[in-house]
Amino acid sequence: MCLTADMSTTTGRAEGVRARARAQMRTEILDVARDHLATHGVGSLSLRAVARDLGMASSAVYRYFENRDALLTALIIDAYDALGAAVERAEGGVPRADLNGRWHQIARTVRAWALEHPSQYALVYGSPVPGYAAPQDTVVPATRVTRLLAALLQDALRTSAGPAPGDVGPDVPAPAAEGLAPLVEFLGPGTTDEWAVRALMAWTWLFGAVSFELFGQLTGAVVPERRDEVFDVEVMRAADWLGLVRSAVPSP
């Protein structure tokens, strides 16, 4: 009995050591792959290239990722999760009643993370990778920031901080309202078509503004040394679209 128990314990420890070693090796592969992306771009990413950078046989890397697409999927999920975690931490530190402060933290953190990790941001928000189709595994990580925005908008609706239907311009035309149906469902009960339009504008503005800056599309339009201040004004204007209650906004 004791011998059997000792053998089970030894086997369990050995399996734990192997699992930790495998996790460590997987982390090293992803780290090298991220460095490769930053230096050479996604077009040159391959398991052979990563194995070469690691100084190991390519067959060894295939034990962890069956092909380039599997490696790419892991990098994409890691990028979405890293961004999502950063934004969740920042937004989570703001009092729930401070809707405007929460919006500012979301927007500023998305931009700060993108500027700090440009190649990872480009991987998930840049041009699609030719020949690659993202699997279902990427959907939940990809919506972490979107779900924060949705929660913020729901809180605005519950506190009547959001815009009244049709308070700017005409009512949303029926064909457009039909097109917005998936977003209305995603945002939850009480969402009007007008509210969904504003949410869509804020969401696409945020990632569009960050992408324009990161990919050099603002050259000649905004003085680089004043981009922080310009971005903050844009964030405030977007808060106005959303009808968020003005409150004290922390400095960047």
Side-chain angles (χ1 to χ4, degrees), residues 153 162-169 180 183 187 192-204 238-244:
L153 300 181
D167 66 351
V168 289
L180 287 166
L183 181 58
L187 292 174
T192 64
D193 295 332
E194 172 64 27
W195 190 223
V197 168
R198 295 196 188 194
L200 183 61
M201 290 171 64
W203 178 41
T204 55
D240 289 341
W241 300 342
L242 297 172
L244 300 180

Side-chain angles (χ1 to χ4, degrees), residues 86-102:
V87 179
E88 287 165 3
R89 284 193 299 272
E91 191 268 352
V94 181
R96 299 298 83 189
D98 186 0
L99 303 179
N100 195 34
R102 287 164 61 188

Side-chain angles (χ1 to χ4, degrees), residues 1-12:
M1 295 283 292
C2 292
L3 179 60
T4 302
D6 288 344
M7 290 177 64
S8 297
T9 300
T10 301
T11 300

